[in-house]
Each structure stands twice: as structure tokens, then as C-alpha cells.
Amino acid sequence: MDHQSSRGLQQFKNYVGIKFQLYNSLFTSLPFHRIEKTGILLSLLLNNCEEGYKKKQSPMQIIDEFFEKHTSYIKEQDKLDLLFRFIQYVERQVVLFDALEDASFREINDLNGIGTLKYLAADVIQEGKEEELARKLEDFSIRLVLTAHPTQFYPGPVLGIIHDLSKALAENNTSQINMYLQQLGKTPFFKKEKPTPFDEAISLIWYLENVFYNAAGRIITYLNNQFPQMIPDTNPVITMGFWPGGDRDGNPFVTVDTTQKVADALRGSIIKCYYLEVRKLKRRLTFKGVDTILADLEKQLYENIFIPGQRTFLSKQGILDALQKIREILIYQHNGLFQHLVDNLINKVHVFGLHFASLDVRQDSSIHGKVLEAIAAKTDILPKNYAELSEEEKKKLLYKASGDIGGHVFEDGIEKDTLLSIKAIKEIQQYNGVEGCSRYIISQCNSALNLLEVYGLFKICGWKNEDLTIDIVPLFETIDDLQEAAEIMGELYENEIYRKHLQKRNNRQTIMLGFSDGTKDGGYLMANWSIYKAKEKLTSISAKYGIDVVFFDGRGGPPARGGGKTHKFYASMGKNISNKEIQLTIQGQTVSSNFGTIDSAQFNIEQLLNAGISNDVFADKDKTLSAEEEEILGELCEEGLKSYNELKNNPDFLNYLAHVSPLKFYSQTNIGSRPAKRGSSSKLSLKDLRAIPFVGAWSQLKQNVTGYYGVGTALQAMEKKGKLNDIKKVYRHSLFFKTLMDNCEMAMKKCFFPLTEYLAQDPRYGEIWNQIYKEYELTQRYIFLLSGKSELMADYPVEQLSVQMRERIVLPLTTIQQYAMARIRLMEEQNAQQQHKEIFEKLVIRSSFGIINAGRNSA
């Protein structure tokens, strides 16, 4: 273990481990019903769980034995009441742990170490790479897109408490900590109703205002101070994206009204941030000549926030002009006094404009075809037989399409909303700036026609060729779609009309690649490899046509959905993959766990910036895979795909997940506005199933199939072919493959098979349980052969300990959840009287929150 790791581990033990034990004892005085007993009984239950699983007991046996040994409860209702109190108690223990980790971020992480901008700056200066850095900063940026997936399993008030609790913990203010813990005890965690997409937007805007606004400001200010005049005004370096309110894919609750309300909220929110900062500036800039400009700017900002309808004359450029004037007066008349404060605000205006974050609109490809068919049936813009035409005939029509169809053509439904949304984008651009809403993303994209349908719809809705300020972004997700992506884009680049559109967009094409559905479709190895290969091919074909391709990665929190060591993936891409920008979605608890405080957000944004910049600036440290390495990894991933398909095609695969995990209860957790699956069919199909419930259900089962399944079998197959040494070489030389395996270890570290071992003998599910467990064991054995280590996550001791502590805190919850699932199955099998069934279902749902929150990146 290196010095930094061992220092971090010691700090973690001091600031998180010991403090957790200390403050956890305060819980005994929390205002719960009979809490003194609950606290003591919970520790007895935890002990029972740990001992019981060693003796191969089932969750049912463990819970029954606990009630028998440690309580005098006879009535079922009393037992269930106590289990619900345990859930409440553990949920709050998780909050305390989260708050402790947030509070000690600076102590545990080296904010000037490897991967930070300070480290990068020292490297650049030491190796004389200033020119290369200047070239890279001309147009390199990162875009973090906050998405409309369940962004947080904590409701807003609880997030506020975590924030304040972290502060009190950092200051060791025991009386405040005690008060906040009491407040926590009285604050409900469970949402009675599903949030609307607008609610989701508001909860994410909190992060924009309180975290990203300050973190981005700090980073740009540091870069400008360290390398003056290197960043052009045209390149903000950091940009934010936003999906709640614009992401329609499979979410019937997002309408054009939602989109406009969210765009307004984003604009109002950033103006409010500027207004508060200008008020602070007024306290310092009290000099003649400056005060009047500042007062005028304050008035403009004030009117835009507080006077209804006043939102026309304010512009990003107008704010910048006023601040530049102030800056010049400070430099030439006041010796630059307080100039740094003005520079800091100018940097933020360059990053956030009047839009704060760019609102992306996203819709499923199948919808656009339906809308065009409806237009053909209702109007003469398209021929009546449009639906019967061949793909080629449709394309020709769509290239030439034009018109200005109104929403009134349709009374309601998806057709009307699609047309109104396309029209609304123009209005949003008018008030929030073009950056406010300039991308239309097509999910489940599988042909060139899918892109042209969107192009045609914009033209039909009154947009002219010359002012089509929209990037049409295909999203390739399944293994097949990823393999055909380069061919699809090649066809579009060949087309004169689409090429002209790209010329107006600076010859830049954004392409989105989705990890989640790829993993669901092809398993862990093949999903990652298919995306890597698609990026290589898309980079090559785009370069052939003189197009700058920008990749936008749809990443979730867990490794199975592209999460985990994200910055290391970007650092490992090599020169065959375009590195113009790094764009990725931030979702699930990744928002709060990686970007929940200004310190952690700054650290993680810097890691991404460093990864993207280093690839080009230090080209001599090239990480590109050789042809031989690509060949052997391709072979390995094919073996992994075979193994995963065997599991996926097992007729009991989805039944197992539906009956043994909380999958079917996901939509009742009220954590997101979107349904758990696409479409309205009542039959559960893997294709329609959303990735979050799919991956999240495996995670709650503590089997994390999507993060490792097929890896062991694939490595074993390579050993049988005599190629294990070749794989070991790739593991040592390739950061891409090493990171892939590191993430796999993280997914496995969060597994706990004794929880479900009682199913090993089950007549229906025993076979599939044993199949999964065997693969887990095999994968662990081969990963140890590759790494030379004897425990998972050995290279990351701080995270390893964090995972262990979190998993121990929620062991009673996973046990209660499996106990409840087993009771429900028993009732269903015996067609017994359904007494208490609803309560057991509620137990399953209520357990989910603590389990997921403790996982930090399990959704």
C-alpha cells in the first residue's frame, strides 16, 4: 500500500470509523417510539444476522430466532412494528455515515494529488508542455448532465439535514449534531406520492445552486490564474446539462408545459445566483464609477427574478459587458483592488450564461415515426401513404420537408406534445440563450432514418435550414445498435443536406452511447467492449468526413451502468478515440455521493478534466491498445457474452428476479417520476424493463450479476486456450482493462451470497442461484490470478473499508427484506389467507431506501 493510501485509510478510520461509533450511540436518545429498546435490539439483530449466516441459516430462520430469543412478542403485528422501527433506525444510521464521509472529504482525499489540476499544472510546467495545454484548452471541455432518473432516494428535507449535519460534524459541534439527529428522527423519509418531473428538476437545481455554481467557479478561476490568457472566452471548459423536464423517453408525465417550466426555473435560478453575488460585490466595490454600473446590473437582475414577465432584455453578453467595464475601472483607477471577485463572477457567467444548464430533449425513436404518420393522415405536408413508403422514399421526403404546422392539428396526445415541444425549443433559446436547449436525443436509435425523422419534424414545425440551431443526437444502446453505429453515421455524413446542417453546427456531431441497456442486453464485458469499439469506428469514420465527433456517455452510478472509476476510463481511451470533449450523465446517488459537496464536486470534476487533458498533452504516455491487445480482449468479451446469454436465456431468469428481488415493487417506492418499464404491456420483458430497476434489483439481492457475470467463465475459457498469460499482460499494460476489472471488483465486493443461500436447495430457483454463485466464485478466483491480490478492492483500501462498513450497517435491512419476500412467496404458493401480505410488501419497499442509499452507487 502506498503512503497516500495508508494515510487516507488512517484518516478514514479516525474521521469516519471512530466518529460513527461515537455518534451512533446518540441514537439511543432519538425520539422514536420505545427507542432505547430499539437501539439495543437492533444491535442484537445484527449479531444474530452475522452469526446466523455463518451457520447457513435463512433470513426467515434468523428473524424468527431473533424474536424468540430477544423479545416476548407473540402477535404478528407487534413483530412487524418492530421491524419497521428497525428500518427507520438503520436509514438514519446510513444518513449519519453519509454525513461523516462528506464532512471528512478533505482529510481523506489528497486535493492536490494525482488527478487534480494542481498536479496537472505541476506536470505541465515540469515537462514544458504549456503549448500543448494551450492548444487543448482552445476547445476541450467537460459536460456533466444531471439526469431525470431517480436522482435521490432522500427527499429534499433530508438532503438539507445531511448538508447541515456534515458541517456540524466537521466542526465537532456536539450539541448541534444532537439536535440534527433528533430532527432526522422526526423527518419522514418515505414519499407518499411520486415526484413529478418538475419536483425532480427542483431537487437537482439545488445541487446546481449550492454545489456546481461554486465548484465550477473555483476551477475556472484556478485555471485562469495558473495559465493566464490560455482559455478563450468562447470555451467555458465546464458546462452543465439537464434532463428532468426534457427527457420524455418512456415518461408520460413530461409535457411541453413541464419543459417550459423547468427552463424558466433554470433561468430564474442562475439569475438569482448572480444577483446574490452582485449584492456581495456591492459591499466591496464602493468606488466612484463602479457603484453605478453595479447598481444598474443589480436592478436588471432583480427585475428578472421578482417582476413577473420581465425576462426579455437581459442577456449573457449584457452581464459580461457590465462586469468587464467594472474590471477595467478597477485595474486602471483602483490598482486592481477586489478585481479577483469580479473575475470570479465573470468566469461563472461564461460557464452558466442565462441557462445554468442546457436542457436536453430526449424521446424514443419509435414515437417520431408515429407522429409523422399522424401528420401525413391529418395534413397534406406529407403524402397520405407515408406509412407504406420504403425507408429510402421516406428519407427523400424528410430531407425536403418544410412547413409550419401548429399544435392545433391534434387535439391532444403524444403527437400534439411532440410538435409543441419542438416549437418550445425556439422560445427557450430566445430567453435562455441558444445553449439553453440545443440538443434533441433519440433513444433506441437504430437507423439513419431515425435521425432524419427528427430533422424532418423540426423543418415541418417551422424551423428553417439556416437557423436550425439544434444538434440531433443519436443514442446507440444495444449491442447490435452499437455495432451498426458507424455505418449509420457514415450514411448521414454522405448525404449533402445533412452535411450542410453539420457545417452550420461547426462540423461537430454528438453521439450518445448508453451503458445501461448495453449491459442488460450483452452483459458486463461485451457492453463495455462494444462501446469502446463503437467509439473507435465512429472516430475513424467521422475523421474521414472531416467531422469532429463528440461522445456523450449515458453512465449510471454502479459499474454495471458505466459508473465506478469513471475518470480512469476516460484516461485510458488512447489516440484512436476522439477526445474533443468528455460528456457524461450524472445520476442515481452519484449526484450526492460524488458531487454532494463543493469539495467533492471540485475534486471529481478535476479528475475528469485531468483525464481528458492528459491524454493529448502527454501524448508520449499513450494508452492506446495495440492490435494484438484488441484482438485478445475481443475474444475474451465474446466468451463473456456467451456466458451471459446462457443465463439471460434461462426461462427462469426474469421470474427469479421478479420473485426473489424487490423488482416488481420498484414503481411503488415513489423515488422517480418515470414508470419502471417502457410501454403499457403488463407482461414483464427484458427489453421493456428499465435499467435502473434491473440493476438495482440485483444490487438489493446482493448478487450484482450485471457487474461481473461472464467474466470468470471468459477468463477460464482463455486459460483453456492457453491465453491467460496474454490477458495478464493486457491487465498490466492497459488502463482500460485494469479499470474494467477494478469496477468488476467493486460490484463483487458489494455482493453477499449467504443472504440468499437458502435458495440453493429451492426446487424452482436452486439451479439459477447455484449458476450465479458459481460464476461469482469463478470470477473472484480469476481476478485474484490477474491481480496477484487475495482480496477484492485491495488497491482501494479506503473505499474497501467504506463498502464493508456500509454493508454491515444495512445487513439487518437486507435480511428483513429477504424475510418479507420469502413470506410473500409462501403466501402465494400456498394460496393462504393474504393476511398481512400488504404489510410484508410495504416492508420490502421500505427496506429498499436504506439498502440503496448505503450502496452509494447502486442505481
Short mmCIF file of all heavy atoms in Angstrom, two decimals, residues 219-238:
data_model
loop_
_atom_site.label_atom_id
_atom_site.label_comp_id
_atom_site.label_asym_id
_atom_site.label_seq_id
_atom_site.Cartn_x
_atom_site.Cartn_y
_atom_site.Cartn_z
N ILE A 219 -12.77 26.21 -10.06
CA ILE A 219 -11.88 25.52 -11.01
C ILE A 219 -11.44 26.47 -12.13
O ILE A 219 -10.25 26.55 -12.47
CB ILE A 219 -12.59 24.27 -11.61
CG1 ILE A 219 -12.72 23.19 -10.53
CG2 ILE A 219 -11.82 23.72 -12.81
CD1 ILE A 219 -13.60 22.02 -10.91
N ILE A 220 -12.38 27.22 -12.72
CA ILE A 220 -12.04 28.12 -13.83
C ILE A 220 -11.12 29.23 -13.32
O ILE A 220 -10.18 29.63 -13.99
CB ILE A 220 -13.31 28.71 -14.50
CG1 ILE A 220 -14.27 27.58 -14.94
CG2 ILE A 220 -12.94 29.58 -15.70
CD1 ILE A 220 -13.72 26.61 -15.95
N THR A 221 -11.41 29.72 -12.12
CA THR A 221 -10.56 30.77 -11.55
C THR A 221 -9.13 30.24 -11.36
O THR A 221 -8.16 30.91 -11.69
CB THR A 221 -11.15 31.25 -10.20
OG1 THR A 221 -12.43 31.83 -10.47
CG2 THR A 221 -10.26 32.28 -9.53
N TYR A 222 -9.00 29.00 -10.87
CA TYR A 222 -7.68 28.42 -10.68
C TYR A 222 -6.94 28.32 -12.02
O TYR A 222 -5.77 28.69 -12.14
CB TYR A 222 -7.77 27.03 -10.03
CG TYR A 222 -6.44 26.32 -9.97
CD1 TYR A 222 -5.49 26.68 -9.01
CD2 TYR A 222 -6.10 25.36 -10.92
CE1 TYR A 222 -4.24 26.07 -8.99
CE2 TYR A 222 -4.85 24.75 -10.90
CZ TYR A 222 -3.93 25.11 -9.93
OH TYR A 222 -2.69 24.50 -9.92
N LEU A 223 -7.64 27.79 -13.05
CA LEU A 223 -7.01 27.63 -14.37
C LEU A 223 -6.58 28.98 -14.94
O LEU A 223 -5.48 29.12 -15.49
CB LEU A 223 -7.98 26.95 -15.35
CG LEU A 223 -8.09 25.42 -15.25
CD1 LEU A 223 -9.21 24.91 -16.13
CD2 LEU A 223 -6.77 24.74 -15.64
N ASN A 224 -7.45 30.00 -14.80
CA ASN A 224 -7.12 31.33 -15.33
C ASN A 224 -5.94 31.95 -14.59
O ASN A 224 -5.13 32.66 -15.17
CB ASN A 224 -8.34 32.25 -15.26
CG ASN A 224 -9.26 32.04 -16.45
OD1 ASN A 224 -8.81 31.75 -17.55
ND2 ASN A 224 -10.56 32.17 -16.25
N ASN A 225 -5.87 31.72 -13.29
CA ASN A 225 -4.75 32.27 -12.51
C ASN A 225 -3.45 31.55 -12.84
O ASN A 225 -2.39 32.16 -12.94
CB ASN A 225 -5.01 32.14 -11.00
CG ASN A 225 -6.13 33.07 -10.56
OD1 ASN A 225 -6.49 34.00 -11.28
ND2 ASN A 225 -6.68 32.82 -9.38
N GLN A 226 -3.56 30.23 -13.00
CA GLN A 226 -2.36 29.41 -13.24
C GLN A 226 -1.83 29.59 -14.66
O GLN A 226 -0.63 29.64 -14.89
CB GLN A 226 -2.73 27.93 -13.00
CG GLN A 226 -1.55 26.99 -12.93
CD GLN A 226 -0.71 27.19 -11.68
OE1 GLN A 226 -1.23 27.51 -10.63
NE2 GLN A 226 0.60 27.04 -11.80
N PHE A 227 -2.77 29.67 -15.61
CA PHE A 227 -2.39 29.80 -17.03
C PHE A 227 -3.15 30.97 -17.66
O PHE A 227 -4.11 30.77 -18.41
CB PHE A 227 -2.70 28.50 -17.79
CG PHE A 227 -2.02 27.29 -17.21
CD1 PHE A 227 -2.73 26.37 -16.45
CD2 PHE A 227 -0.65 27.09 -17.39
CE1 PHE A 227 -2.09 25.25 -15.91
CE2 PHE A 227 -0.02 25.97 -16.84
CZ PHE A 227 -0.73 25.05 -16.10
N PRO A 228 -2.74 32.22 -17.35
CA PRO A 228 -3.49 33.39 -17.84
C PRO A 228 -3.56 33.41 -19.37
O PRO A 228 -2.64 32.95 -20.05
CB PRO A 228 -2.65 34.58 -17.32
CG PRO A 228 -1.78 34.02 -16.26
CD PRO A 228 -1.55 32.58 -16.58
N GLN A 229 -4.69 33.91 -19.88
CA GLN A 229 -4.93 34.06 -21.34
C GLN A 229 -4.94 32.73 -22.11
O GLN A 229 -4.92 32.73 -23.33
CB GLN A 229 -3.89 34.98 -22.01
CG GLN A 229 -4.25 36.46 -22.01
CD GLN A 229 -3.97 37.10 -20.67
OE1 GLN A 229 -2.85 37.00 -20.17
NE2 GLN A 229 -4.96 37.74 -20.09
N MET A 230 -4.96 31.60 -21.41
CA MET A 230 -4.92 30.34 -22.14
C MET A 230 -6.31 29.86 -22.56
O MET A 230 -6.47 29.19 -23.56
CB MET A 230 -4.24 29.27 -21.27
CG MET A 230 -3.37 28.34 -22.10
SD MET A 230 -2.52 27.15 -21.08
CE MET A 230 -0.84 27.73 -21.16
N ILE A 231 -7.33 30.23 -21.75
CA ILE A 231 -8.69 29.77 -22.08
C ILE A 231 -9.40 30.86 -22.86
O ILE A 231 -9.61 31.97 -22.34
CB ILE A 231 -9.49 29.43 -20.80
CG1 ILE A 231 -8.76 28.40 -19.94
CG2 ILE A 231 -10.88 28.92 -21.16
CD1 ILE A 231 -9.39 28.15 -18.60
N PRO A 232 -9.80 30.60 -24.10
CA PRO A 232 -10.52 31.63 -24.87
C PRO A 232 -11.93 31.85 -24.30
O PRO A 232 -12.52 30.94 -23.70
CB PRO A 232 -10.59 31.03 -26.28
CG PRO A 232 -10.40 29.56 -26.10
CD PRO A 232 -9.63 29.35 -24.85
N ASP A 233 -12.47 33.06 -24.49
CA ASP A 233 -13.82 33.37 -23.99
C ASP A 233 -14.88 32.45 -24.60
O ASP A 233 -15.95 32.25 -24.03
CB ASP A 233 -14.19 34.83 -24.34
CG ASP A 233 -13.45 35.79 -23.42
OD1 ASP A 233 -12.87 35.32 -22.43
OD2 ASP A 233 -13.46 37.01 -23.70
N THR A 234 -14.56 31.90 -25.77
CA THR A 234 -15.56 31.06 -26.46
C THR A 234 -15.66 29.66 -25.84
O THR A 234 -16.55 28.90 -26.17
CB THR A 234 -15.17 30.91 -27.94
OG1 THR A 234 -13.78 30.53 -27.99
CG2 THR A 234 -15.40 32.21 -28.70
N ASN A 235 -14.69 29.30 -24.97
CA ASN A 235 -14.71 27.94 -24.39
C ASN A 235 -14.92 27.98 -22.88
O ASN A 235 -14.02 28.33 -22.13
CB ASN A 235 -13.39 27.23 -24.70
CG ASN A 235 -13.39 25.80 -24.15
OD1 ASN A 235 -14.45 25.20 -23.95
ND2 ASN A 235 -12.22 25.26 -23.88
N PRO A 236 -16.10 27.58 -22.41
CA PRO A 236 -16.36 27.64 -20.96
C PRO A 236 -15.62 26.57 -20.15
O PRO A 236 -15.59 26.63 -18.92
CB PRO A 236 -17.87 27.46 -20.85
CG PRO A 236 -18.30 26.83 -22.13
CD PRO A 236 -17.27 27.15 -23.18
N VAL A 237 -15.03 25.54 -20.79
CA VAL A 237 -14.31 24.42 -20.16
C VAL A 237 -15.23 23.48 -19.38
O VAL A 237 -15.13 22.27 -19.50
CB VAL A 237 -13.14 24.90 -19.24
CG1 VAL A 237 -12.40 23.70 -18.64
CG2 VAL A 237 -12.15 25.72 -20.05
N ILE A 238 -16.11 24.03 -18.55
CA ILE A 238 -17.08 23.17 -17.84
C ILE A 238 -18.48 23.62 -18.27
O ILE A 238 -18.78 24.82 -18.24
CB ILE A 238 -16.96 23.34 -16.32
CG1 ILE A 238 -15.58 22.93 -15.83
CG2 ILE A 238 -18.03 22.52 -15.59
CD1 ILE A 238 -15.28 23.36 -14.40
#
